[in-house]
Amino acid sequence: MTISSARVGLFAVGLALAVFIQDPRPTTQDSRPTTQDSRPQWFKGNLHTHTLNSDGDSTPDDVVRWYREHDYNFVTLTDHNYLTSVDGLNALHGADEKFLVMKGEELTDRFENKPVHVNGFAPNGFVKPTGGSSVLDMAQRMIDALRGAGAVPSVNHPNYGWAISADELLQIQRTKLFEVFNGHPLVNNMGGGGVPGLEEVWDRMLSSGKLLYGIAVDDAHTFKRPEDKTVPRPGQGWVFVRSPRLESRALVEALERGDFYSSTGVELLSVTATAASLTIAIKTEAQSKYRVQFIGRQGAILGEAVTSPATYKFRGDESYVRAKVIESNGKLAWVQPIPIGADAPK
């Protein structure tokens, strides 16, 4: 499978565009670069999963083995308020530029009846829960503590327990990552009862000027019953990160600059952005059909296509453009927003 991409950030004042482009390089999933190769590649990974060290049902070895045997390139162990060691796991399962176990921790606390959870990717050490005087204060303290430990933070499942509102998420600082999809069956991804779903929340954030990137995750706890849809199981959501190497710091830096897409089953051949357009090419399956939506301010559908590749030509006044690929059996992929114009989210 050949994959190429160029990531472009567009910021305009009047008619001027400042453009950042990463050079594309064709590659295949079965042909990984050597450790000396620093050119960007796509790596499939899960950013949220649990072991027996918190509330999972399986050992770290069994959890890592599942992802290794299901063609992931990396997995992040994010036990609740526990930093699971990954050195021995990488010695057993790791392989240069093929598979990596990344350190992580899910800081977990509760304000009144609301669960506040924030993941930290690649921390230098264990981070204790921080407390707080409100949901917003607690979440911000968690993020600041994780940053202090060298981790990249992500706000987890905002609608779980209806804990973090859109207004609170808008005020959170020092993170650009949140879970637009979480595979746990009780996290209310779609919203309800007057509370917006997470994609609507995403567009509210972007339209308000806050740049957020949406990740898809498993939040897997149950590995002994992987076919039971009533439990939080593996294989539900993941990211493809474009990174020069399969190494923790390189991966989290790519996440922070939005150089990835998220998926529940759709795989892309390429994501190409220029100063003029955004083009998405899909790795199609014979039994499926696909629809590509190009989405802008307040969630407006700027254009749709049923062909691959699909292209949207920028007008210059969109503020941002992101893309969503919808497969006929319900699988999805989300391409990260490209800021455009003087009122682009930052």
Side-chain angles (χ1 to χ4, degrees), residues 2 17 19 24 39 84 95 118-119 139 148 151-152 230 244 247 276 280 286 289-290 304 315 320 328 337 343:
T2 302
L17 289 176
V19 182
R39 291 169 290 186
T84 295
V118 176
N119 266 344
V152 169
T230 68
E247 182 270 328
I280 309 297
K289 293 185 181 295
Y290 300 84
E304 286 195 347
R315 301 189 311 259
Y320 69 91
S328 50
D343 62 346

Side-chain angles (χ1 to χ4, degrees), residues 159-176:
N159 281 350
Y160 175 57
W162 311 108
I164 301 176
S165 70
D167 288 341
E168 288 164 334
L169 185 60
L170 183 62
Q171 297 176 70
I172 292 174
Q173 302 176 6
R174 301 188 72 196
T175 184
K176 289 186 176 179

Side-chain angles (χ1 to χ4, degrees), residues 1-3 261 263 265-270 280-292 305-310 325-329 331 333:
M1 175 183 65
T2 302
I3 302 177
Y261 70 90
S263 178
V266 173
E267 190 168 342
L268 304 181
L269 294 175
S270 65
I280 309 297
I282 307 163
K283 182 184 178 184
T284 59
E285 299 180 1
Q287 74 274 16
S288 299
K289 293 185 181 295
Y290 300 84
R291 178 161 48 104
V292 180
V306 294
T307 58
S308 178
V325 184
I326 305 167
E327 185 263 349
S328 50
N329 292 295
K331 299 174 184 177

